[in-house]
Amino acid sequence: MNDKVYYWQALNRSLDVEMAADESIIVLGEDVGLYGGSYRVTEGLYAKYGEWRLRDTPISEGSFTGLGVGAAMVGLRPVVEIMTINFALLALDAIINMAAKIPFMSGGQFPMPLVVRMPGGVAKQLAAQHSQRLEQTLMNVPGLRIAVPATPQDAYWQLCQAINSNEPVVLLEHELLYFSKGELDESRQAPPMHRARVCRQGSDLTIVTYSRMRDLALQAAMQLADTGIEAEVIDLRSLRPIDWDSCIASLEKTHRLLIVEEDSGFAGAGAEITAGLTERCFLIMDAPPQRVAGKELPIAYNAALEAASIPRVADIVSAAQQLCRP
Amino acid sequence: MREPVLMPTLSDTMETGHLVEWLKQPGDVVKKGEAIAEVETDKAVMEVEAFYDGYLQGPLAVADTDIAVGEVIGYISDSLGAETKPAKQKADNAPVAKVAKTEIKTPPPMAEISPHAQTATQAPLSVKPVASEMASDKHIPASPYARGLARELGIDLARLAVGPDGSIRASEVVAAAVGRAMPNLDDGPDYELQPLRPMQRTIASNMMAAATIPVFHISARFSLAPLIALAREEGYSLTLLLAYACALTVEAHPRFNAVFTPQGLAQRQQIDIGIAMDVPRGLVTPVLRDVAGHPIKELAERWRTLKRKALGKQGNQHLRREDYRGATFYLSNLGMFDTVSRFDAVVPVGAAAILAVAAIQDGLAEFTLSCDHRVIYGADAARFFETLAVLLGDPKHRVLTSSNPLS
């Protein structure tokens, strides 16, 4: 099978394949059952696997995520869907204080095969309270794994891997990616969940990015190629852990680092990537690492302001050109 | 109060200065405007002036070392007593040290020295380690990668031009490595490495830059007897008269006063003749400005002063940047060496031609014109010589009249 499918379909396929194979997998969340999920990710599964395995929950993120933690402790493999990451703030106690720490505090007696899926990012005029990513909040929690799939293939692979992992995994999905299409080959061997991917080869600078910004970085790289700058684009795929080795291998070639992230830059994912790579690659860097990030602002509702608040292709092109001054 | 004395920026290309010697010793009274040290830059030895009244105070940077622009080389204090804390180093405290943008601020070396050592009579010797570090390339802003590459390739960062952002990147190092032919010293006998003086370094890099100019040469022989007779009669130097004849010729052939730029030929409005001069430390080219627009008498006076400055015989005055930069045409006269039958000179960047004058043999001296072929073509050069021949044939009437007889 090698078809073009939507990102949401890839996630749906993953759940279907895994749920068919393992009865201990359950899905918890708002409207995941009868309605099929607000982004159609659980479409058709309710009919197939029934209300015991796809539980529609009340609007109460703290309690149903906590329920997922408890279920994982006693042998189930719950996949919790939080309708948007913005509501995950209510579930942080369950994620940070319980899921991330119980395996450690129990000396490994309780594994935590929990998956929490969260749509996030700046979509289309959802205003400040519904346009966040919050990845930096979760990146700072030892005990969690964070996957950020940017393509249907990765969405499929990484959700399968998350479900099969005995560690708690947060899947940060992007709301604008659900209806992007890409190839899905379910028979292909998946790379490790945290392995970064070089999406485009280049010799002049390394653009490290993830999630939806991957597409923008690739577009920028095409424009840069017209001006004689060959950008290597790395899709991290995972924010915790980060695949430093792939980044280092690229920097050994390009000596210049540009990070593109949608979230605001201050103390964000890009800050960690910058620090991590500067520590490892200082002596081979030919320029100070640069970040293209969202503005230090809550995201505006106004469409023009919203678009200007986060990186655009032109921003990436211009930052790369500055970094590669002749 | 104690103010730092900084290594001044004496030319726009200067990154380090060679501290020749201190003219004052620690504890000496210094007056504002008074020379306290001599610094050799890329082309000239200049004086560092005190910007305050007070006493010169150590630690002084060690003489005969290269020191980065903007570095503290000593202090001027308003009292003889030693101070325990270094004065706050601010560029605007010391206007003489117009600190280059690329300077990396370093704390004054005083901080590392115990109060007891800081007497006004302290010997400069005691700060040698500090001073030698000041001269190292640690303060040249370079990317870590560029630094590593330079180390591997054996390139001295101090010799590289900084990039547009004021720092050295790998591209500058690689360009230097690729553009340089390195002799393999292992093949030959033992050797001793003599570090380049700033002037040697500048000449070397100017010559490397000039090597990219497509040059052709054209030669002719002239009798210099009438010019020599005139020089004796009027008491002018032969070189000056040659420069004047060149200027009048250039005025008749303005293309020789142009220079090639990628945007087009820059046709200069005034003829400034750079005259190559043999000096003990190397080679300088003092420039006579607007030669065609001034009577020979005035030029003779200016040329005498320039020569004295270049040879260090003009009291405290030395060649300044404005004395040796920006010539539009060059003259190199080796006629005083009887054995030289002909030679050709390198066209410096910034001009379109240079005239090389050899010694008189069998009554004739061979002139060789080296021309930038992007600006000047063969027939232009031939016509240049025709005009010059007319001038040299009857210099008394043609050269000494107040206005150019050819124009």
Side-chain angles (χ1 to χ4, degrees):
Chain A
M1 174 169 162
N2 194 2
D3 296 331
K4 287 222 168 188
V5 301
Y6 287 116
Y7 187 93
W8 70 264
Q9 286 175 312
L11 290 166
N12 179 272
R13 276 297 299 155
S14 169
L15 281 173
D16 196 1
V17 168
E18 296 299 333
M19 288 181 85
D22 184 349
E23 282 194 353
S24 66
I25 298 166
I26 61 164
V27 178
L28 302 170
E30 294 152 7
D31 287 336
V32 296
L34 195 56
Y35 184 72
S38 44
Y39 292 97
R40 301 175 66 179
V41 171
T42 50
E43 191 176 85
L45 301 180
Y46 185 76
K48 198 163 172 184
Y49 300 106
E51 63 176 348
W52 277 105
R53 294 185 66 191
L54 283 106
R55 303 292 296 191
D56 277 324
T57 63
I59 304 177
S60 176
E61 282 75 12
S63 46
F64 69 74
T65 310
L67 177 66
V69 172
M73 285 173 72
V74 296
L76 294 181
R77 308 190 82 84
V79 179
V80 173
E81 177 179 304
I82 294 182
M83 190 176 276
T84 94
I85 194 170
N86 307 283
F87 306 157
L89 290 170
L90 294 162
L92 287 186
D93 187 58
I95 297 169
I96 296 174
N97 262 338
M98 299 178 200
K101 295 182 176 61
I102 283 172
F104 178 81
M105 295 178 78
S106 68
Q109 292 180 82
F110 290 110
M112 190 55 61
L114 171 73
V115 181
V116 185
R117 293 182 37 248
M118 307 178 187
V122 177
K124 292 217 160 73
Q125 289 192 275
L126 297 180
Q129 292 164 317
H130 293 77
S131 302
Q132 302 174 88
R133 289 198 57 85
L134 299 180
E135 54 221 7
Q136 78 289 7
T137 306
L138 299 168
M139 279 174 73
N140 194 238
V141 180
L144 289 183
R145 284 177 175 269
I146 304 171
V148 280
T151 64
Q153 183 75 58
D154 281 339
Y156 176 82
W157 275 338
Q158 289 181 301
L159 181 52
C160 290
Q161 289 167 323
I163 291 170
N164 288 302
S165 166
N166 282 334
E167 294 173 62
V169 180
V170 174
L171 224 66
L172 295 178
E173 299 158 8
H174 199 290
E175 290 167 23
L176 287 186
L177 288 178
Y178 285 113
F179 293 93
S180 67
K181 263 193 168 176
E183 284 185 4
L184 174 62
D185 182 350
E186 291 178 25
S187 64
R188 272 175 68 192
Q189 179 73 30
M193 188 166 69
H194 73 285
R195 178 65 43 80
R197 178 181 296 112
V198 177
C199 310
R200 183 185 192 281
Q201 304 263 352
S203 54
D204 295 326
L205 81 155
T206 300
I207 300 180
V208 173
T209 189
Y210 56 91
S211 192
R212 182 180 162 247
M213 288 295 130
R214 167 192 183 273
D215 291 343
L216 276 73
L218 285 170
Q219 288 173 44
M222 300 271 279
Q223 293 185 17
L224 285 165
D226 292 337
T227 71
I229 294 173
E230 292 298 338
E232 182 141 307
V233 178
I234 293 185
D235 174 8
L236 281 182
R237 295 176 73 246
S238 162
L239 289 178
R240 185 179 182 98
I242 286 174
D243 177 8
W244 300 116
D245 290 347
S246 295
C247 298
I248 293 167
S250 177
L251 280 174
E252 279 171 349
K253 189 166 62 168
T254 66
H255 309 288
R256 297 186 189 95
L257 173 62
L258 180 68
I259 294 148
V260 182
E261 57 184 327
E262 182 179 298
D263 220 347
S264 56
F266 186 85
E272 179 57 35
I273 300 164
T274 305
L277 287 175
T278 304
E279 283 164 359
R280 290 165 173 84
C281 298
F282 179 77
L283 290 174
I284 58 162
M285 283 197 179
D286 198 26
Q290 299 293 315
R291 286 179 278 166
V292 177
K295 300 271 187 296
E296 299 296 325
L297 287 169
I299 300 297
Y301 170 75
N302 174 291
L305 294 179
E306 180 188 66
S309 304
I310 58 172
R312 290 166 292 193
V313 173
D315 301 323
I316 304 170
V317 169
S318 132
Q321 283 169 336
Q322 291 219 336
L323 195 60
C324 298
R325 65 101 170 132
Chain B
M1 270 297 285
R2 208 172 61 126
E3 299 290 347
V5 180
L6 309 185
M7 173 59 70
T9 308
L10 299 168
S11 77
D12 54 3
T13 57
M14 175 176 172
E15 287 164 17
T16 61
H18 187 80
L19 181 63
V20 178
E21 62 172 331
W22 284 99
L23 303 174
K24 297 284 180 182
Q25 295 307 311
D28 285 358
V29 176
V30 296
K31 289 225 168 327
K32 189 174 170 184
E34 195 177 4
I36 55 175
E38 276 193 349
V39 167
E40 183 182 352
T41 70
D42 42 6
K43 277 229 167 166
V45 177
M46 298 191 201
E47 283 163 355
V48 178
E49 292 176 2
F51 270 77
Y52 309 93
D53 294 335
Y55 302 92
L56 186 63
Q57 205 176 57
L60 301 181
V62 176
D64 205 29
T65 55
D66 288 339
I67 296 164
V69 160
E71 293 286 347
V72 177
I73 58 175
Y75 295 88
I76 292 175
S77 166
D78 55 8
S79 69
L80 259 179
E83 292 191 19
T84 51
K85 288 206 168 163
K88 200 175 175 210
Q89 184 184 349
K90 275 202 295 190
D92 58 3
N93 279 348
V96 61
K98 208 181 107 223
V99 174
K101 273 186 203 145
T102 57
E103 183 213 4
I104 289 178
K105 281 265 177 354
T106 51
M110 278 305 273
E112 295 161 20
I113 295 172
S114 76
H116 298 294
Q118 291 175 39
T119 62
T121 53
Q122 179 200 354
L125 196 65
S126 65
V127 295
K128 194 162 188 171
V130 178
S132 62
E133 190 179 324
M134 289 200 297
S136 80
D137 73 9
K138 275 183 193 153
H139 304 297
I140 298 164
S143 76
Y145 181 51
R147 218 171 269 289
L149 267 184
R151 204 175 300 124
E152 245 172 64
L153 298 168
I155 303 244
D156 180 1
L157 288 178
R159 294 185 209 177
L160 301 187
V162 295
D165 62 351
S167 72
I168 294 172
R169 301 274 178 89
S171 53
E172 275 86 34
V173 177
V174 170
V178 170
R180 180 198 56 181
M182 264 290 281
N184 187 353
L185 293 166
D186 297 337
D187 292 345
D190 290 348
Y191 58 90
E192 182 197 348
L193 211 53
Q194 297 174 339
L196 291 175
R197 303 189 69 91
M199 185 189 283
Q200 290 175 306
R201 195 173 286 166
T202 303
I203 293 171
S205 69
N206 287 350
M207 290 304 105
M208 285 301 289
T212 61
I213 299 176
V215 172
F216 73 91
H217 307 287
I218 181 166
S219 298
R221 289 171 179 231
F222 297 96
S223 165
L224 287 182
L227 203 66
I228 290 168
L230 182 68
R232 290 216 179 105
E233 207 173 295
E234 303 284 336
Y236 295 131
S237 92
L238 187 62
T239 301
L240 174 69
L241 286 178
L242 280 169
Y244 197 56
C246 283
L248 297 182
T249 312
V250 169
E251 198 176 33
H253 303 277
R255 186 51 76 84
F256 283 79
N257 212 38
V259 69
F260 183 86
T261 76
Q263 289 78 38
L265 294 185
Q267 184 66 53
R268 274 77 62 92
Q269 306 296 325
Q270 168 183 310
I271 299 162
D272 293 350
I273 308 279
I275 302 169
M277 204 180 143
D278 177 35
V279 292
R281 288 173 189 274
L283 166 73
V284 287
T285 54
V287 181
L288 273 176
R289 305 284 170 192
D290 195 11
V291 179
H294 287 87
I296 186 84
K297 226 179 201 127
E298 194 185 321
L299 295 170
E301 192 50 46
R302 297 212 319 249
W303 176 234
R304 200 169 300 127
T305 309
L306 281 174
K307 268 206 294 197
R308 292 180 64 85
K309 278 187 183 177
L311 295 169
K313 292 178 181 170
Q314 185 76 5
N316 283 334
Q317 291 183 16
H318 299 283
L319 280 188
R320 294 188 165 272
R321 177 181 152 72
E322 58 267 27
D323 291 328
Y324 58 77
R325 296 296 279 260
T328 61
F329 184 91
Y330 284 85
L331 171 67
S332 179
N333 179 14
L334 288 182
M336 59 293 273
F337 296 99
D338 289 340
T339 54
V340 177
S341 60
R342 77 173 299 277
F343 76 104
D344 53 53
V346 176
V347 181
V349 172
I354 180 169
L355 180 66
V357 178
I360 298 166
Q361 293 183 340
D362 304 325
L364 294 175
E366 184 155 335
F367 284 32
T368 302
L369 197 57
S370 306
C371 305
D372 181 343
H373 210 320
R374 296 170 300 180
V375 183
I376 294 161
Y377 309 136
D380 299 328
R383 282 189 283 267
F384 182 96
F385 273 154
E386 280 182 351
T387 303
L388 191 60
V390 173
L391 286 171
L392 296 178
D394 184 11
K396 190 156 188 172
H397 295 101
R398 298 209 176 257
V399 177
L400 289 192
T401 46
S402 57
S403 66
N404 189 353
L406 299 163
S407 60

